[in-house]
């Protein structure tokens, strides 16, 4: 498992992407709320309600302004 932090220009944490042992990537906001996931096997990105968002990894598009 590896984690990548996403920070704004002020160096505030806005999201974290974690690669799970299954290979899926999960994104969570700064409050640790689940925003969505990307599955490299199916090449699908899905939101927090498991709705299809796009083909490819577009996890950062799930980040909402705070």
């Amino acid at each position: 498992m590896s984690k990548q932090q996403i920070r704004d220009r002020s160096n505030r944490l806005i999201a974290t992407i974690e690669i799970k042992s299954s290979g899926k990537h999960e994104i969570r906001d700064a409050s640790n709320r689940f925003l969505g996931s990307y599955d490299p096997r199916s090449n699908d990105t899905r939101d927090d309600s498991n709705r299809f968002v796009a083909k490819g990894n577009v996890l950062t598009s799930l980040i909402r302004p705070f």
Side-chain angles (χ1 to χ4, degrees):
M1 276 192 303
S2 68
K3 287 187 180 183
Q4 176 185 7
Q5 294 181 339
I6 300 170
R7 297 185 173 271
D8 66 9
R9 290 183 181 157
S10 301
N11 204 32
R12 287 183 300 185
L13 180 67
I14 56 173
T16 303
I17 297 175
E18 182 176 356
I19 301 174
K20 299 293 193 176
S21 58
S22 65
K24 280 190 178 183
H25 301 213
E26 290 185 354
I27 189 166
R28 295 182 179 273
D29 67 11
S31 300
N32 205 34
R33 284 185 300 237
F34 178 74
L35 301 176
S37 64
Y38 166 70
D39 186 348
R41 285 182 275 171
S42 62
N43 198 30
D44 290 345
T45 299
R46 297 189 172 268
D47 67 9
D48 61 336
S49 298
N50 203 33
R51 291 181 299 231
F52 175 79
V53 175
K55 280 290 188 191
N57 185 346
V58 295
L59 287 177
T60 56
S61 70
L62 301 175
I63 300 170
R64 302 287 178 246
F66 50 96

